[in-house]
Amino acid sequence: MNLGDPTAPEPRPISPSSARLAALNRVLEAAWAGSVFYARKWRAAGLPAAPLASLDDLARLPFVTRAEFVADQAAVPPLGTKVTCPPSALVRFHRSSGTTQAPLLWADSAESWRWVTRGSASLWRLAGVGGADRLLLLLNFGAASGPCIIHAGACRLGCACWPLGTVETEGQLCGLTAFKPTVLAGTPAGLGALAERIRAEGRPPRHSGVNKLILCGPHEARQRTALQQIWGAECFDRYGLTEAGSVAAECEAHPGGLHVLDDRFIVESIHPTTGAPVPDGEPGELVLTTLGRLPCPIIRYRTGDRVRLVRNHACACGRRGSL
């Protein structure tokens, strides 16, 4: 057996920044080759169809907005011209909720759906959830992708999952009693309603065996505090969107923010009016670029969400990266 030259130097490990740049250039290559939407936008900006030399060069690309995607889908239904692969390769379709803006249709190939669910699994791990946990999902599985992504990520970890979001509170109570979950995931309103139903029977929710609550949806600090007290369980926030998938979540150290999955996204924070980058810790608009999900990537996508981004944050959980 030839083991090679023992005097040869060890191969140098790939740095995280190099891996991110390589992933970004794969996304850009797919978009240049297959997406009429992106190629047309970048040519209009005078950009060459060439790999970027550094992550900093991403700033040369123009921003993309939801309004542009909506207009593109309206002009070329159903998905517009952003898709980089043949329609036959797409196996999953979801629609954004569209509660405050026009809904968007998004799609995945089998491979990109695996990329999405791996990200969801990472958010579950951040909250300390593992394969031994039993999850009761009080989420409405409709056209939107969020509940499906949350469910698929938990299944990837091997968790026992029971979706009961479309069942009335009485049925959820029966499920809680029979299934004995360790984790509940739902909207703050839904989790509160189930707690009130338990209390109406004279039973304290904190004795149900639930030790973690995953809050899906916007809420105020007082709602979170009330839920923690009622259930006697830790609360965890997570953030994602149809266009990106699972983006960030709170860890068990509860650092006051959410850890971004830096190996899957490049995040920027900009002034919502000027588009100029804002310093760490200052409020700004979140801009996302996916480092995967090639059939429907988002590249410098203005989410419209306000954040205070802190890069290179050293957390008590041992994780270092964007918060």
Side-chain angles (χ1 to χ4, degrees):
M1 183 185 301
N2 182 7
L3 299 180
D5 182 2
T7 65
E10 290 291 326
R12 297 176 61 184
I14 299 174
S15 68
S17 60
S18 296
R20 281 156 57 84
L21 178 60
L24 173 60
N25 277 324
R26 283 193 295 272
V27 171
L28 297 180
E29 181 182 14
W32 270 114
S35 171
V36 173
F37 174 88
Y38 281 115
R40 181 172 54 216
K41 187 176 182 69
W42 295 338
R43 288 194 187 99
L47 298 173
L52 301 184
S54 73
L55 292 174
D56 291 338
D57 289 342
L58 179 63
R60 294 162 45 203
L61 276 61
F63 295 119
V64 175
T65 66
R66 183 189 180 98
E68 288 179 283
F69 282 145
V70 170
D72 183 50
Q73 286 192 176
V76 186
L79 288 167
T81 62
K82 66 180 180 295
V83 181
T84 68
C85 66
S88 59
L90 301 173
V91 298
R92 292 193 67 99
F93 294 81
H94 293 285
R95 194 183 69 173
S96 65
S97 60
T99 51
T100 59
Q101 304 179 71
L104 274 174
L105 185 64
W106 222 257
D108 281 291
S109 65
E111 181 180 355
S112 71
W113 181 247
R114 285 191 290 272
W115 185 90
V116 170
T117 59
R118 284 195 296 270
S120 177
S122 294
L123 297 197
W124 283 113
R125 291 192 193 96
L126 276 171
V129 175
D133 281 298
R134 302 172 67 80
L135 277 55
L136 197 63
L137 306 178
L138 309 182
L139 301 168
N140 185 5
F141 285 71
S145 64
C148 294
I149 292 173
I150 290 170
H151 185 199
C155 290
R156 175 176 279 275
L157 288 181
C159 301
C161 301
W162 193 358
L164 285 179
T166 57
V167 177
E168 71 285 351
T169 306
E170 189 67 33
Q172 293 175 357
L173 176 59
C174 292
L176 182 75
T177 303
F179 191 55
K180 295 180 173 55
T182 56
V183 181
L184 296 181
T187 65
L191 295 169
L194 179 56
E196 289 303 318
R197 180 64 187 84
I198 297 172
R199 292 170 76 176
E201 290 197 345
R203 293 188 290 157
R206 62 176 50 248
H207 293 169
S208 64
V210 172
N211 56 57
K212 288 184 171 70
L213 303 176
I214 309 300
L215 306 184
C216 305
H219 57 276
E220 298 178 358
R222 60 179 179 81
Q223 290 176 289
R224 176 187 171 109
T225 301
L227 287 170
Q228 287 185 142
Q229 293 174 346
I230 293 170
W231 286 99
E234 286 184 274
C235 284
F236 294 85
D237 292 330
R238 60 190 289 160
Y239 170 75
L241 59 161
T242 296
E243 304 93 302
S246 300
V247 178
E250 185 176 0
C251 72
E252 291 182 282
H254 303 289
L258 310 183
H259 289 291
V260 176
L261 299 180
D262 285 322
D263 59 334
R264 309 174 72 78
F265 298 95
I266 294 176
V267 292
E268 303 173 70
S269 181
I270 63 169
H271 190 282
T273 302
T274 67
V278 301
D280 275 17
E282 296 295 323
E285 179 183 351
L286 179 66
V287 175
L288 286 176
T289 297
T290 50
L291 297 177
R293 209 178 190 184
L294 297 185
C296 287
I298 54 173
I299 302 166
R300 301 206 81 199
Y301 179 62
R302 297 185 61 159
T303 64
D305 294 325
R306 299 296 187 263
V307 298
R308 293 179 186 268
L309 187 63
V310 180
R311 296 175 178 83
N312 205 28
H313 173 80
C315 184
C317 74
R319 189 179 183 94
R320 193 178 193 95
S322 302
L323 185 71

